[in-house]
Amino acid sequence: MASRVAFRGWSRLSGRIVVMDQGNERRLMVHGEILSIYPLDANWRPVRREYWWKALEAVPLPPKPEVLLVGLGGGTQVHLLYRLSDPRSITVIERDPVIVRVARQWFGLDRVGKLEMVCADAETAIAGLARMGRRFDYVMEDVTYADPPEVALPKLLAMVPLVTPLGSLVVNRHRRGDPRPLARTLRLYFSEVRLRRVRKTGENTLICCSRPLLSSAADA
């Protein structure tokens, strides 16, 4: 399948950034890792087998959910949210303004519904949203996927108070980051916690947490 480099750049925060077109699929690659895919022919069906789609299938979404995405990439899940639901609002935390510009220019984010973009590191942004009393029906965490559990856990617990009583937190974990210790601890904070392997040959396992326990959420 023919491929070409559509964009090549560098960011002080993310390092080498490449936008690669391969057939009808556009990919955002950072350090050789695929962060997002975008169908140039507007056919999203192949994305059904990827974790962005599986994360939205794994938990119940209410009508017109308020959404928080921690980590933007090229915005694959933003597009899917508008196709699979009718979000009232989408807030995105992304620390790297270069990634935001690339997503808008090369991945169609300048053509979707209104986005609230918070350009800051995740810890600072999450603390600010908590102080403002913000709550979200669906929170997708996609920045600690390769962090050791002891590094990822405090960041995840800081997100628990942001989830509405009937809402969900979905955590994307890389195969190198064992999700089981995180799931065991998160069971103290949510009524239901499930692990979902995206594909047998894939690198992603989702921790799907639903309905926070209110007293535990306050403790978090």
Side-chain angles (χ1 to χ4, degrees):
M1 185 179 296
S3 62
R4 73 177 187 93
V5 174
F7 170 83
R8 194 189 307 272
W10 186 86
S11 161
R12 178 178 59 84
L13 294 174
S14 300
R16 183 166 58 93
I17 299 171
V18 176
V19 177
M20 175 78 71
D21 290 349
Q22 187 163 350
N24 289 321
E25 184 177 273
R26 175 164 289 172
R27 300 176 177 179
L28 173 62
M29 307 185 71
V30 176
H31 293 300
E33 297 277 351
I34 299 174
L35 296 193
S36 281
I37 58 178
Y38 178 74
L40 298 172
D41 60 355
N43 178 16
W44 288 90
R45 289 190 63 82
V47 186
R48 292 179 67 98
R49 61 198 298 267
E50 305 295 345
Y51 81 91
W52 299 284
W53 192 300
K54 298 295 186 184
L56 293 173
E57 287 184 332
V59 294
L61 288 178
K64 296 187 178 298
E66 297 197 39
V67 174
L68 173 64
L69 303 180
V70 185
L72 174 64
T76 300
Q77 199 165 69
V78 173
H79 290 287
L80 292 178
L81 278 159
Y82 277 106
R83 281 161 175 78
L84 301 178
S85 68
D86 183 20
R88 185 186 309 274
S89 67
I90 300 179
T91 300
V92 181
I93 298 173
E94 172 55 56
R95 66 171 187 157
D96 192 342
V98 177
I99 293 290
V100 174
R101 290 198 296 271
V102 169
R104 290 192 183 280
Q105 181 175 355
W106 295 99
F107 290 83
L109 281 198
D110 58 344
R111 298 190 295 275
V112 302
K114 182 180 178 181
L115 294 176
E116 178 187 15
M117 200 72 67
V118 181
C119 205
D121 67 86
E123 294 92 333
T124 300
I126 288 165
L129 292 172
R131 284 194 301 270
M132 295 168 61
R134 298 285 298 277
R135 297 292 182 271
F136 302 91
D137 304 300
Y138 175 81
V139 179
M140 176 70 187
E141 198 284 329
D142 200 11
V143 297
T144 65
Y145 68 98
D147 287 348
E150 64 273 15
V151 175
L153 183 58
K155 302 175 184 178
L156 299 180
L157 293 183
M159 299 177 200
V160 176
L162 298 180
V163 184
T164 59
L166 297 179
S168 300
L169 165 67
V170 179
V171 181
N172 179 37
R173 290 295 287 173
H174 193 276
R175 64 180 181 182
R176 294 193 298 267
D178 186 355
R180 291 171 296 181
L182 295 176
R184 284 196 295 269
T185 301
L186 288 168
R187 287 191 176 99
L188 301 174
Y189 295 89
F190 287 89
S191 300
E192 181 179 359
V193 176
R194 294 178 292 109
L195 292 176
R196 179 169 182 176
R197 182 77 179 269
V198 174
R199 295 197 311 273
K200 289 183 178 180
T201 58
E203 297 181 336
N204 306 93
T205 296
L206 301 175
I207 308 175
C208 307
C209 312
S210 297
R211 303 188 309 279
L213 302 168
L214 296 184
S215 60
S216 296
D219 292 340

PDB file of all heavy atoms in Angstrom, residues 158-171:
ATOM      1  N   ALA A 158      -7.109  11.357  40.710  1.00  0.00           N
ATOM      2  CA  ALA A 158      -7.477  12.773  40.650  1.00  0.00           C
ATOM      3  C   ALA A 158      -8.653  13.008  39.710  1.00  0.00           C
ATOM      4  O   ALA A 158      -9.349  14.027  39.825  1.00  0.00           O
ATOM      5  CB  ALA A 158      -6.272  13.600  40.209  1.00  0.00           C
ATOM      6  N   MET A 159      -8.902  12.066  38.777  1.00  0.00           N
ATOM      7  CA  MET A 159     -10.005  12.220  37.829  1.00  0.00           C
ATOM      8  C   MET A 159     -11.326  11.721  38.382  1.00  0.00           C
ATOM      9  O   MET A 159     -12.390  12.079  37.863  1.00  0.00           O
ATOM     10  CB  MET A 159      -9.683  11.471  36.528  1.00  0.00           C
ATOM     11  CG  MET A 159      -8.444  11.973  35.830  1.00  0.00           C
ATOM     12  SD  MET A 159      -8.053  11.000  34.364  1.00  0.00           S
ATOM     13  CE  MET A 159      -6.325  11.433  34.163  1.00  0.00           C
ATOM     14  N   VAL A 160     -11.295  10.887  39.418  1.00  0.00           N
ATOM     15  CA  VAL A 160     -12.530  10.278  39.926  1.00  0.00           C
ATOM     16  C   VAL A 160     -13.575  11.330  40.301  1.00  0.00           C
ATOM     17  O   VAL A 160     -14.756  11.195  39.935  1.00  0.00           O
ATOM     18  CB  VAL A 160     -12.218   9.346  41.116  1.00  0.00           C
ATOM     19  CG1 VAL A 160     -13.517   8.798  41.705  1.00  0.00           C
ATOM     20  CG2 VAL A 160     -11.312   8.201  40.677  1.00  0.00           C
ATOM     21  N   PRO A 161     -13.224  12.414  41.017  1.00  0.00           N
ATOM     22  CA  PRO A 161     -14.251  13.405  41.372  1.00  0.00           C
ATOM     23  C   PRO A 161     -14.849  14.149  40.179  1.00  0.00           C
ATOM     24  O   PRO A 161     -15.860  14.842  40.339  1.00  0.00           O
ATOM     25  CB  PRO A 161     -13.496  14.387  42.286  1.00  0.00           C
ATOM     26  CG  PRO A 161     -12.319  13.622  42.797  1.00  0.00           C
ATOM     27  CD  PRO A 161     -11.935  12.722  41.665  1.00  0.00           C
ATOM     28  N   LEU A 162     -14.255  14.006  39.000  1.00  0.00           N
ATOM     29  CA  LEU A 162     -14.790  14.677  37.815  1.00  0.00           C
ATOM     30  C   LEU A 162     -15.905  13.879  37.141  1.00  0.00           C
ATOM     31  O   LEU A 162     -16.550  14.386  36.223  1.00  0.00           O
ATOM     32  CB  LEU A 162     -13.669  14.916  36.796  1.00  0.00           C
ATOM     33  CG  LEU A 162     -12.505  15.809  37.233  1.00  0.00           C
ATOM     34  CD1 LEU A 162     -11.499  15.942  36.102  1.00  0.00           C
ATOM     35  CD2 LEU A 162     -12.997  17.184  37.666  1.00  0.00           C
ATOM     36  N   VAL A 163     -16.130  12.643  37.580  1.00  0.00           N
ATOM     37  CA  VAL A 163     -17.109  11.769  36.927  1.00  0.00           C
ATOM     38  C   VAL A 163     -18.476  11.934  37.603  1.00  0.00           C
ATOM     39  O   VAL A 163     -18.584  11.893  38.826  1.00  0.00           O
ATOM     40  CB  VAL A 163     -16.657  10.297  37.005  1.00  0.00           C
ATOM     41  CG1 VAL A 163     -17.636   9.397  36.246  1.00  0.00           C
ATOM     42  CG2 VAL A 163     -15.242  10.137  36.430  1.00  0.00           C
ATOM     43  N   THR A 164     -19.513  12.122  36.807  1.00  0.00           N
ATOM     44  CA  THR A 164     -20.868  12.249  37.340  1.00  0.00           C
ATOM     45  C   THR A 164     -21.315  10.940  37.997  1.00  0.00           C
ATOM     46  O   THR A 164     -20.746   9.873  37.729  1.00  0.00           O
ATOM     47  CB  THR A 164     -21.859  12.621  36.224  1.00  0.00           C
ATOM     48  OG1 THR A 164     -21.819  11.603  35.212  1.00  0.00           O
ATOM     49  CG2 THR A 164     -21.510  13.969  35.601  1.00  0.00           C
ATOM     50  N   PRO A 165     -22.349  10.968  38.869  1.00  0.00           N
ATOM     51  CA  PRO A 165     -22.763   9.756  39.589  1.00  0.00           C
ATOM     52  C   PRO A 165     -23.083   8.565  38.691  1.00  0.00           C
ATOM     53  O   PRO A 165     -22.866   7.417  39.091  1.00  0.00           O
ATOM     54  CB  PRO A 165     -24.002  10.225  40.360  1.00  0.00           C
ATOM     55  CG  PRO A 165     -23.748  11.680  40.603  1.00  0.00           C
ATOM     56  CD  PRO A 165     -23.055  12.170  39.364  1.00  0.00           C
ATOM     57  N   LEU A 166     -23.603   8.793  37.496  1.00  0.00           N
ATOM     58  CA  LEU A 166     -23.904   7.694  36.571  1.00  0.00           C
ATOM     59  C   LEU A 166     -22.891   7.631  35.432  1.00  0.00           C
ATOM     60  O   LEU A 166     -23.118   6.925  34.438  1.00  0.00           O
ATOM     61  CB  LEU A 166     -25.312   7.846  36.006  1.00  0.00           C
ATOM     62  CG  LEU A 166     -26.446   7.782  37.028  1.00  0.00           C
ATOM     63  CD1 LEU A 166     -27.790   7.973  36.340  1.00  0.00           C
ATOM     64  CD2 LEU A 166     -26.424   6.457  37.785  1.00  0.00           C
ATOM     65  N   GLY A 167     -21.792   8.350  35.572  1.00  0.00           N
ATOM     66  CA  GLY A 167     -20.820   8.444  34.496  1.00  0.00           C
ATOM     67  C   GLY A 167     -19.763   7.358  34.529  1.00  0.00           C
ATOM     68  O   GLY A 167     -19.789   6.444  35.348  1.00  0.00           O
ATOM     69  N   SER A 168     -18.807   7.482  33.599  1.00  0.00           N
ATOM     70  CA  SER A 168     -17.784   6.459  33.423  1.00  0.00           C
ATOM     71  C   SER A 168     -16.418   7.085  33.180  1.00  0.00           C
ATOM     72  O   SER A 168     -16.311   8.174  32.599  1.00  0.00           O
ATOM     73  CB  SER A 168     -18.129   5.551  32.236  1.00  0.00           C
ATOM     74  OG  SER A 168     -19.363   4.896  32.419  1.00  0.00           O
ATOM     75  N   LEU A 169     -15.391   6.351  33.618  1.00  0.00           N
ATOM     76  CA  LEU A 169     -13.998   6.662  33.325  1.00  0.00           C
ATOM     77  C   LEU A 169     -13.415   5.463  32.590  1.00  0.00           C
ATOM     78  O   LEU A 169     -13.502   4.328  33.076  1.00  0.00           O
ATOM     79  CB  LEU A 169     -13.208   6.905  34.619  1.00  0.00           C
ATOM     80  CG  LEU A 169     -11.678   6.896  34.527  1.00  0.00           C
ATOM     81  CD1 LEU A 169     -11.169   8.065  33.704  1.00  0.00           C
ATOM     82  CD2 LEU A 169     -11.048   6.893  35.914  1.00  0.00           C
ATOM     83  N   VAL A 170     -12.849   5.696  31.413  1.00  0.00           N
ATOM     84  CA  VAL A 170     -12.192   4.635  30.651  1.00  0.00           C
ATOM     85  C   VAL A 170     -10.715   4.988  30.536  1.00  0.00           C
ATOM     86  O   VAL A 170     -10.360   6.091  30.120  1.00  0.00           O
ATOM     87  CB  VAL A 170     -12.819   4.462  29.249  1.00  0.00           C
ATOM     88  CG1 VAL A 170     -12.099   3.362  28.480  1.00  0.00           C
ATOM     89  CG2 VAL A 170     -14.301   4.129  29.370  1.00  0.00           C
ATOM     90  N   VAL A 171      -9.873   4.029  30.907  1.00  0.00           N
ATOM     91  CA  VAL A 171      -8.429   4.228  30.936  1.00  0.00           C
ATOM     92  C   VAL A 171      -7.792   3.325  29.884  1.00  0.00           C
ATOM     93  O   VAL A 171      -8.030   2.108  29.878  1.00  0.00           O
ATOM     94  CB  VAL A 171      -7.848   3.900  32.324  1.00  0.00           C
ATOM     95  CG1 VAL A 171      -6.338   4.143  32.347  1.00  0.00           C
ATOM     96  CG2 VAL A 171      -8.547   4.712  33.411  1.00  0.00           C
TER      97      VAL A 171
END
